[in-house]
Amino acid sequence: MVINMNDIINNKQDSKEGDYLLVIDGSSLLSTQFFGNLPKEIMFAKTMEEKEKYFPKIMQTATGVYTNAVYGFLRVLLKIIKDQKPTYLAVAWDISRNTFRREIYPDYKGNRGETLEPLKDQFKLCQHVLKEMGIVQFMDERYEADDFSGTLCQKFEEEVPIRVMTKDNDYLQLITERTNLWLIHSTAKKTDELYEKYGLSKKELNVPDRTFLFTPELVEKEFGIEPSSVPSLKGIGGDSSDNIKGVPGVGEATAVALIKEYKTVENLYEILNNLDETGKKEINEYWKTLGIKRTPINALLKISDTELVGEKAAILSKTLATIKKDIDLKDLGLEQLRIHINTENAQKCFNELEFKTIKMDNAEVEDSSINNLRFEADKIKITSNLEEVETLFSNLIKLWEKNQKKLKKTKKSRNDKSDSKITIKEIKKPEYASEDAVGIKLIMENKSLVGISVYYGSEASFIIPCEGFITPDFLTSKLNGLLEKKITLAIFDIKKYLPYLNANEESPCFDVTIAGYLLEPDASTYEYQTIAEKYLELDLPSEKEVFSGQTYASLSLLDQDQYKKAACYESYVAHHIYPVLLKLLSERGLLPLFAGIEMPLVYTLYDMEQRGIRVDTNGLKDYSDQLGVSIVELEKQIFELVGVEFNINSPKQLGEILFQRLGLSYGKKTKTGYSTSAEVLEKLSSEHPVIKLILQYRQLTKLKSTYADGLVSYVEGDGRIHGTFNQTIAATGRLSSTEPNLQNIPIRMELGRKIRKVFIPEDGYLFLDADYSQIELRLLAHMSNDARLIEAYRQAQDIHRLTASEVFHTPFDEVTSAQRSNAKAVNFGIVYGISSFSLGQDLDITRKEAEEYINKYFMTYPGVKTYLDGLIEEGKETGVVKTLYGRIRPVPNLTNSNFMKRSAEERIAMNSPIQGTAADIMKLAMIHVNQVLKERKLKSRLLLQIHDELLVETHESEVEEVAKIMKEEMQQAASLSVPLEVEVANGNNWYEAK
DNA sequence: CACGTCACG
DNA sequence: ACGTACGTGACGTGT
């Protein structure tokens, strides 16, 4: 049977979305981006002098040209071109205040302050860049951006639908069925609230971030008036931003109510001017029914020769607020606005402006070069014939060898450029072939191998189901044969297949999933579909999509064509992606980390999972029963106290009981109701005796469901739990543990801690537990190179006490335990990327006091301050922060205009290098410990890693030797400017060994 | 399937 | 202008 590869690789569908014209109010967008990308010190500063102090912190080029606004503008623009895909584009600018409106009203926009110095020149700069990019722009001394926008709308809306992007709401008047508005808000929250209010999905509407899509209907719903009434509304109510006064004495609410009723200024005065005294009284009464409180009729009818009041003011204000739609644009045609970005010029500008994180190719504005992968008409052979399979493999090996010879001839030796500051101790590690790998997929069903798919170019691509003479063992031996020939195999998630793949640390196995993870550690998945799309620009159906609809539980996987497809896709992508990822890893300095840490670690983790950890199932059941008894008792008492039975586990019901039935004072609220978190409840514990019981109940049910009962279900036939360690989840480089999570077994509370007694070693064995002492703070000392912190650790001082002594101005020996524990919180806070707000909350002190602590801390350890600031700087410049071993963490939001997002990213930038380096070091230690144990043929085995702790099951006869190995390997995993301390303990269960 | 809550480093 | 600590995973509830 032969499958044509064209049937398998579906072409990317050219989803033809509707053409439309996008008109951007450039001045609006540039100024919002300017303010959004200012350092927060400037936002907080009150006086101009204070603001100026921080101008040097604004993004600028090496020569001191401010670029923050232009940067933001371009990012937004390119993102829109990519995501919202406009067909035509025009940008309109305000370039002068001397517009025709000033001729009729000299105070027009008279209330505007001076533009901030750093923004001034960016208008011209931005216009220059757009010009270079080939984007059509409109600007003129006499007209404003809105007049050009209005004119463009008028001219083209019959030809093509239009979107106008601005932050000024006087543009609302331009809205029609054909012309919609993207109104820019300063915060995402505002827009989200609006979308929620009207039950709209941002995603479906496909709108840019922080903009709300206004249609005529939505204008009507939100403001109660039609778009065309907007100038009249401003005619009455005025517009403070443009210094349009409206009718003096009439406020905004009244103006809205009047325009809602009369639509235009003219209609309103038509009636008002023809009223007699009784008519005025009647209309006053009528207006009251419209919700108009203070009667504005006198103000509306006021007449004066000297002042601008009443109708005269209304008419003038309306005129000023009316957008001009008939500027003569000569013979401008729509086609002249079609987007054709001159990418070369654009990239040149970006380089000049030193925008390293904006690349033209982000925008996908050009037709991405036709993907040659799509046109391969490769053939996949499916066979379970022994003879055929043998031939396929031997042909594959011949082909490989031929290709390698070719490659070696043309290839210059690759320099693994690495900027990691520490060399990785020599261990066994794989050597990968240049640019060429065999893509392999092992097809599993119920944890057994049912076949493999191999992809190696058109001449050696096949699927082999396990049938007849083709056994799992046979396939294992064939794959092994490839590895012995040093043939590089590219596979997704190798650890999953190690039962059938006899690979070890030195095998040239390239785990595509892990490579994807190192290149982009905060991605959500690394499935073939995602990887193919990201790096090969190839659109494949995901495994899920392939399977959807037609799976037959009764049939074995490989009897179903769609399973074959998915297997083919995966080996196909693995093969094609190898040279791409290898190059990227090399370019980004990630190869030493990949080959020296992550790949060898795969086998260590596999060993740990295979070994599993023994559990005293009876002990676990007893523990569960005891908890059960206490829970029932607590339940009874709680129901008695509140006088009604309810589900205590339901935050909804509990909230209603506590805060409505019992009337307790609620603190926080969540999206869905009252918060009943432990934090909130603890503050209430004096208000009602039931609170303490509820907290106890929570504690016990958690222990019973998650730990006691939860763990029992994971114990396998051998009396052990074989959990999974995930290597590609945590964005910092840490491991994660699932099914079950063995990294969050209780320890902080005694009751929970007791559960550790059921984790027991094999008969004749003991547990050895080793943990790094304060590894993150020590790394902070090393990485910041702060003299004082380093000295303190070299002298083995109590770091929390030292910090307390300095921060609280107390002699070292007189530091109280409360001071020490506060200082400890500060130390932690620093590692997490501190904010005074949160530290204050944590310590229950004011924000100001917390800020004092932080300031004192930074005065004590000035190197730390410099280091942390440097991390943010580095992140802004390069888009990533790095660990000592070169592991990267993207931090794209350091320039986000949303304060919250930006601040969160700053904390990430400060924390990730530290947390990540600790993870790197621990991983190295694990590989070493595992390797030494095996080399020395010891019976002891590594079982668990809990971030800074290792648990080993040690044979009684080996305790001392293994304790020494652990301590030494962990301490020597990295050589830093401060010592790494490791504490080792042993015991007959996990409780004792800690 | 999202959310709230809580367990760990 | 925003209302937060960094990094995880499992459970129960309620849509």
Side-chain angles (χ1 to χ4, degrees), chain A residues 262 271-272 274-289 292-298 301:
Chain A
Y262 300 103
I271 292 168
L272 288 185
N274 292 313
L275 286 176
D276 54 13
E277 285 308 311
T278 30
K280 284 182 192 170
K281 272 181 196 152
E282 277 170 22
I283 211 158
N284 259 334
E285 288 307 308
Y286 176 56
W287 284 0
K288 274 182 197 159
T289 69
I292 297 173
K293 285 181 192 132
R294 221 166 47 82
T295 58
I297 195 154
N298 291 335
L301 288 175

Side-chain angles (χ1 to χ4, degrees), chain A residues 608 613 725 734-735 742-747 753 756 767-773 775 918 922-923 925-926 942-952 966 970 981-985 989-994:
Chain A
M608 291 162 67
I613 185 165
F725 286 101
R734 273 192 178 178
L735 299 177
L742 293 170
Q743 290 179 320
N744 74 346
I745 304 300
I747 189 165
R753 189 176 196 150
R756 294 184 171 226
F767 277 157
L768 263 176
D769 185 294
D771 72 301
Y772 282 114
S773 148
I775 185 167
M922 180 51 113
K923 285 177 171 177
M926 292 168 69
L942 197 49
L943 303 185
L944 302 180
Q945 184 249 46
I946 310 97
H947 308 305
D948 61 357
E949 170 191 355
L950 291 180
L951 185 68
V952 165
M966 290 176 78
M970 286 171 75
E981 286 302 325
V982 172
E983 286 165 18
V984 189
N989 56 55
W990 200 4
Y991 182 91
E992 284 178 17
K994 249 309 236 187

Side-chain angles (χ1 to χ4, degrees), chain A residues 320-354:
Chain A
L320 292 172
T322 303
I323 292 175
K324 198 169 161 61
K325 294 181 173 176
D326 55 359
I327 302 173
D328 183 7
L329 296 180
K330 302 280 177 341
D331 51 359
L332 177 82
L334 184 60
E335 274 313 305
Q336 289 167 262
L337 302 180
R338 185 179 285 275
I339 300 181
H340 282 298
I341 306 270
N342 183 331
T343 51
E344 205 173 302
N345 284 356
Q347 192 58 58
K348 230 185 267 170
C349 286
F350 298 167
N351 295 344
E352 275 169 25
L353 293 171
E354 299 164 22

Side-chain angles (χ1 to χ4, degrees), chain A residues 291-419:
Chain A
I292 297 173
K293 285 181 192 132
R294 221 166 47 82
T295 58
I297 195 154
N298 291 335
L300 286 165
L301 288 175
K302 202 168 174 185
I303 297 175
S304 160
D305 285 340
T306 49
E307 292 171 276
L308 191 57
V309 293
E311 185 174 5
K312 224 164 80 187
I315 299 285
L316 175 67
S317 298
K318 183 187 169 183
T319 310
L320 292 172
T322 303
I323 292 175
K324 198 169 161 61
K325 294 181 173 176
D326 55 359
I327 302 173
D328 183 7
L329 296 180
K330 302 280 177 341
D331 51 359
L332 177 82
L334 184 60
E335 274 313 305
Q336 289 167 262
L337 302 180
R338 185 179 285 275
I339 300 181
H340 282 298
I341 306 270
N342 183 331
T343 51
E344 205 173 302
N345 284 356
Q347 192 58 58
K348 230 185 267 170
C349 286
F350 298 167
N351 295 344
E352 275 169 25
L353 293 171
E354 299 164 22
F355 293 159
K356 289 175 190 135
T357 49
I358 311 187
K359 291 256 162 59
M360 225 23 249
D361 50 17
N362 291 351
E364 291 175 10
V365 279
E366 281 184 314
D367 277 353
S368 53
S369 58
I370 296 161
N371 203 320
N372 51 14
L373 290 184
R374 289 182 204 164
F375 297 106
E376 284 189 18
D378 297 338
K379 306 248 162 83
I380 300 268
K381 194 167 178 61
I382 298 179
T383 176
S384 287
N385 179 300
L386 188 61
E387 212 174 311
E388 261 182 359
V389 172
E390 294 284 8
T391 316
L392 283 169
F393 270 99
S394 63
N395 285 347
L396 169 59
I397 292 171
K398 275 184 220 149
L399 185 59
W400 166 271
E401 285 169 348
K402 204 175 93 196
N403 285 345
Q404 276 298 300
K405 260 185 213 158
K406 239 194 293 179
L407 278 169
K408 269 178 193 149
K409 260 187 211 161
T410 58
K411 189 187 152 273
K412 44 197 182 321
S413 70
R414 181 179 39 242
N415 289 326
D416 297 346
K417 71 166 182 186
S418 155
D419 44 6

Side-chain angles (χ1 to χ4, degrees), chain A residues 414-478:
Chain A
R414 181 179 39 242
N415 289 326
D416 297 346
K417 71 166 182 186
S418 155
D419 44 6
S420 74
K421 292 155 193 147
I422 289 195
T423 49
I424 295 169
K425 183 181 157 186
E426 268 319 301
I427 51 159
K428 293 178 183 169
K429 61 181 180 202
E431 273 186 36
Y432 298 112
S434 62
E435 297 168 47
D436 195 23
V438 177
I440 304 271
K441 159 77 178 176
L442 288 88
I443 306 161
M444 311 279 284
E445 188 171 11
N446 302 327
K447 294 193 174 180
S448 310
L449 189 70
V450 295
I452 61 171
S453 162
V454 178
Y455 195 98
Y456 188 58
S458 52
E459 288 157 84
S461 300
F462 41 90
I463 295 181
I464 307 167
C466 286
E467 281 166 7
F469 292 113
I470 310 293
T471 62
D473 273 355
F474 172 81
L475 288 177
T476 300
S477 75
K478 284 283 121 190

Side-chain angles (χ1 to χ4, degrees), chain A residues 549-563:
Chain A
Q550 21 177 344
T551 51
Y552 304 97
S554 56
L555 285 180
S556 116
L557 289 187
L558 285 176
D559 290 337
Q560 300 176 52
D561 277 347
Q562 62 269 36
Y563 281 78

Side-chain angles (χ1 to χ4, degrees), chain A residues 36 42 48 74 116 337 375 504 517 599 615 646 663 690 792:
Chain A
I42 297 184
M48 188 51 77
L74 292 171
L116 275 178
L337 302 180
F375 297 106
N504 60 42
Y517 167 69
M599 284 311 302
V615 166
F646 65 103
V690 80

Side-chain angles (χ1 to χ4, degrees), chain A residues 462-634:
Chain A
F462 41 90
I463 295 181
I464 307 167
C466 286
E467 281 166 7
F469 292 113
I470 310 293
T471 62
D473 273 355
F474 172 81
L475 288 177
T476 300
S477 75
K478 284 283 121 190
L479 293 174
N480 226 23
L482 299 183
L483 289 173
E484 274 161 23
K485 294 260 176 195
K486 295 283 171 206
I487 294 176
T488 296
L489 304 184
I491 306 176
F492 283 79
D493 197 1
I494 288 172
K495 176 153 67 72
K496 199 162 70 189
Y497 306 115
L498 285 179
Y500 296 98
L501 192 67
N502 240 328
N504 60 42
E505 290 85 343
E506 288 165 283
S507 309
C509 286
F510 182 94
D511 193 316
V512 181
T513 311
I514 290 177
Y517 167 69
L518 289 187
L519 291 167
E520 205 183 329
D522 51 359
S524 52
T525 78
Y526 306 95
E527 287 156 22
Y528 70 79
Q529 183 252 10
T530 320
I531 297 274
E533 193 183 323
K534 207 170 282 178
Y535 300 97
L536 298 176
E537 287 166 38
L538 182 70
D539 236 8
L540 297 174
S542 68
E543 193 162 316
K544 223 183 184 170
E545 283 159 5
V546 171
F547 291 170
S548 69
Q550 21 177 344
T551 51
Y552 304 97
S554 56
L555 285 180
S556 116
L557 289 187
L558 285 176
D559 290 337
Q560 300 176 52
D561 277 347
Q562 62 269 36
Y563 281 78
K564 290 172 198 155
K565 271 194 187 182
C568 284
Y569 290 147
E570 199 169 307
S571 59
Y572 178 86
V573 173
H575 166 73
H576 284 293
I577 204 72
Y578 174 76
V580 179
L581 295 189
L582 192 68
K583 181 156 174 278
L584 284 173
L585 287 173
S586 168
E587 282 172 1
R588 301 186 192 174
L590 289 164
L591 261 189
L593 185 64
F594 179 78
I597 296 184
E598 298 295 344
M599 284 311 302
L601 184 68
V602 171
Y603 306 95
T604 307
L605 296 180
Y606 177 71
D607 288 342
M608 291 162 67
E609 292 175 5
Q610 286 297 300
R611 180 80 164 208
I613 185 165
R614 187 180 175 198
V615 166
D616 171 10
T617 316
N618 291 329
L620 209 48
K621 283 180 181 146
D622 288 346
Y623 186 75
S624 166
D625 291 342
Q626 283 172 33
L627 290 171
V629 173
S630 308
I631 288 169
V632 172
E633 253 170 53
L634 276 171

